[in-house]
Amino acid sequence: MNIASTPSFVSQAATAVSDTPGAAQVLALRKALQVQQQGALALLQALPQPAPAPTGDLPLATQGPLGTQLNVMA
């Protein structure tokens, strides 16, 4: 690495950052969105798992006017 070229690299980097004044704001926004994403994911993982639907407890009626199309439990 050439030490003589280091100051020009630093000045170029400083100029690039000053050319985009919103870059720091964009980086802060991205970080805030990442934090929100992590928080939302943690909340979703904390939700209890739904109880499995009962299967085969009460079969549909095979005859008569009611219970042949839909099995409703109160």
Side-chain angles (χ1 to χ4, degrees):
M1 179 175 182
N2 187 355
I3 297 176
S5 67
T6 304
S8 65
F9 173 74
V10 172
S11 65
Q12 288 174 357
T15 304
V17 170
S18 66
D19 287 345
T20 56
Q25 293 174 347
V26 170
L27 290 175
L29 176 62
R30 286 183 182 170
K31 182 62 178 173
L33 290 174
Q34 286 176 350
V35 169
Q36 286 182 349
Q37 179 185 15
Q38 291 170 353
L41 184 60
L43 286 174
L44 288 174
Q45 290 174 345
L47 289 174
Q49 294 297 319
T55 57
D57 290 346
L58 298 173
L60 291 174
T62 56
Q63 57 185 340
L66 299 176
T68 57
Q69 300 299 317
L70 180 65
N71 190 3
V72 179
M73 296 176 45

